[in-house]
Amino acid sequence: MTELTGIERTARILERKKADRIGVYEHFWPDTQAAYVKAGHIKPDEDIQDHFGLDLRESWAFNYTADLDFGWEVLEETEDTKLVKNGNGATLRHHKKHSTTPENVNYTVKERPQWEKVRHLLTNIDERRIDFEGYRAAKADAKAKNKFFTCAGANVFELLHPICGHEHMLMGMALDPDWITDMVSVYTDLTITLQEILFAKEGKPDGVFYYDDLGYKQKPFLSPAMYKELIFPGHKRTIDFAHGQGLPVILHSCGYVEPLLPGFVEAGIDCLHAIEIKAGMDLLRIYKNFGDKIAFMGGLDVRALYNNDKNEIDRELEAKVPIIKQGFGFCLHSDHSIPSNVKYETYKYFIEKGFELGRY
């Protein structure tokens, strides 16, 4: 088969149809790109995705902050951290010297009464929530480079905890499920409406990339039954909307989410990302059980790259790629973002070896 473009290749992979080779996509920590630039491997103004020839692009076009007019209030600042209150009423500690998830300190919304006071901010549609210009530019750039372009963003689980925190959200699921159901409904409506406005004004993407971290190490955050009752309706509606627009859906979920996979598949996902090995996920087992239903992006243990040892990379790729590629629905990607301790030459070898094993 002749070489395909990123658009052609990714579209075929998401439909589990034979392409010229497996696809490739990746996420890098900002520290990693900075290290590659400092070492002279990448130019300061060069896109790391272009440099490595990745097949897919994302545009994060939506702002889900409850109060768009609040801005950020700095409560405390040290040499290493900054304590900030944001428009969700959440107080977070951000680290200034390295890339990491901020520390959750406090939340204004902890139960239904506080939610009722801010709910209206998310039901009155404000087009300031949409980055039309950024989406337009990213879409044009992807088209010019023949890359598969996705409208990316959080889905309902990942939209709830920024406003009330994981602890209060999970307690609400157990003690006040009607509150959670209402929040899921509000964010689902908002997501669909924002997409309708954006796509009508700027054109549709090639697909939708949803992020919803529903698991941690060895466990999902909630049971399959609770997922089906509370989160599934939001997944189903947002995915049905995308499919109604002719758009495939990639769902990212960190952590151990295998017990939730039947629900994901029923909701209609076309591809699962990132299949985190260190959390307990097993790419080969999941492929065996779901490879006839969905495609896969990830599932390659990023720890195999940490020691910058080609033999470790060979073992990881050789154990998985020849098997997974048989289903035609696989995109090369680590099971997590690439950290700065992975050398440039190591990641380059990872891609080259993956392509060697992943050609048809």
Side-chain angles (χ1 to χ4, degrees):
M1 181 182 292
T2 57
E3 185 173 356
L4 301 177
T5 66
I7 297 174
E8 295 168 334
R9 182 178 300 113
T10 306
R12 294 186 69 84
I13 288 169
L14 294 178
E15 294 179 353
R16 302 190 310 282
K17 294 180 179 178
K18 188 176 181 180
D20 55 336
R21 60 164 170 80
I22 61 174
V24 60
Y25 189 50
E26 192 55 75
H27 292 77
F28 302 86
W29 287 104
D31 293 347
T32 307
Q33 179 162 355
Y36 293 173
V37 168
K38 184 177 181 180
H41 299 301
I42 298 178
K43 298 175 183 177
D45 60 348
E46 186 178 8
D47 188 320
I48 194 169
Q49 297 180 332
D50 290 339
H51 183 86
F52 287 116
L54 308 186
D55 288 324
L56 188 144
R57 296 292 184 271
E58 300 178 50
S59 173
W60 286 69
F62 304 133
N63 183 347
Y64 288 96
T65 302
D67 188 349
L68 294 176
D69 296 313
F70 183 84
W72 281 26
E73 180 184 353
V74 179
L75 304 177
E76 174 186 294
E77 187 168 2
T78 69
E79 182 179 345
D80 298 320
T81 66
K82 182 183 290 188
L83 187 67
V84 175
K85 186 175 183 179
N86 63 26
N88 283 325
T91 303
L92 308 174
R93 180 172 282 108
H94 295 264
H95 291 267
K96 296 160 66 175
K97 295 184 178 180
H98 60 279
S99 302
T100 187
T101 302
E103 177 188 348
N104 302 328
V105 177
N106 198 13
Y107 290 88
T108 302
V109 176
K110 299 179 179 180
E111 294 177 328
R112 186 199 294 257
Q114 297 92 30
W115 162 251
E116 295 291 350
K117 293 179 180 180
V118 301
R119 186 183 189 277
H120 69 282
L121 297 171
L122 296 159
T123 56
N124 295 326
I125 301 304
D126 188 331
E127 291 193 8
R128 289 183 299 162
R129 294 189 178 281
I130 307 174
D131 181 7
F132 293 104
E133 184 178 348
Y135 177 89
R136 186 185 314 126
K139 185 171 182 285
D141 183 65
K143 183 178 180 180
K145 296 170 182 174
N146 287 314
K147 304 300 183 181
F148 190 90
F149 177 65
T150 63
C151 180
N155 208 292
V156 291
F157 188 88
E158 202 68 20
L159 291 171
L160 299 192
H161 69 75
I163 199 164
C164 62
H166 279 91
E167 179 182 355
H168 306 300
M169 174 181 65
L170 296 173
M171 289 296 291
M173 288 180 177
L175 302 177
D176 191 358
D178 288 344
W179 168 41
I180 304 301
T181 296
D182 183 57
M183 286 202 293
V184 167
S185 179
V186 167
Y187 281 111
T188 299
D189 289 343
L190 180 59
T191 296
I192 292 173
T193 301
L194 294 178
Q195 288 183 354
E196 286 177 329
I197 295 170
L198 177 62
F199 298 168
K201 290 191 176 183
E202 301 294 343
K204 293 187 291 187
D206 299 310
V208 176
F209 204 142
Y210 280 127
Y211 286 73
D212 231 7
D213 288 344
L214 286 147
Y216 57 103
K217 192 171 183 179
Q218 305 297 333
K219 298 281 186 180
F221 279 111
L222 66 174
S223 69
M226 189 171 280
Y227 165 79
K228 192 66 181 293
E229 176 188 357
L230 300 176
I231 303 301
F232 174 85
H235 279 180
K236 180 66 173 165
R237 285 184 56 207
T238 54
I239 294 170
D240 280 353
F241 174 77
H243 286 169
Q245 300 290 308
L247 307 175
V249 173
I250 303 165
L251 178 68
H252 162 94
S253 194
C254 281
Y256 183 73
V257 294
E258 191 169 348
L260 307 181
L261 266 177
F264 293 172
V265 172
E266 184 180 349
I269 70 167
D270 297 284
C271 179
L272 179 67
H273 174 271
I275 316 169
E276 193 174 2
I277 305 304
K278 57 185 171 293
M281 299 288 278
D282 185 319
L283 177 61
L284 295 181
R285 183 178 65 237
I286 293 170
Y287 169 72
K288 179 181 178 181
N289 293 329
F290 297 95
D292 61 336
K293 300 177 179 67
I294 58 173
F296 305 96
M297 182 184 295
L300 299 170
D301 196 337
V302 71
R303 294 172 298 182
L305 284 69
Y306 284 5
N307 293 326
N308 298 289
D309 184 332
K310 291 182 179 180
N311 291 326
E312 287 187 45
I313 295 171
D314 288 347
R315 286 193 292 270
E316 178 68 10
L317 292 173
E318 289 170 356
K320 296 176 180 179
V321 173
I323 297 172
I324 303 299
K325 78 170 190 177
Q326 295 174 30
F328 304 131
F330 184 64
C331 185
L332 185 78
H333 193 297
S334 71
D335 69 336
H336 209 280
S337 302
I338 301 295
S340 59
N341 63 315
V342 175
K343 295 180 180 178
Y344 171 87
E345 296 82 3
T346 299
Y347 182 71
K348 191 168 184 290
Y349 179 79
F350 174 72
I351 291 180
E352 291 171 349
K353 183 66 175 183
F355 287 173
E356 176 188 323
L357 296 167
R359 294 196 178 277
Y360 293 104

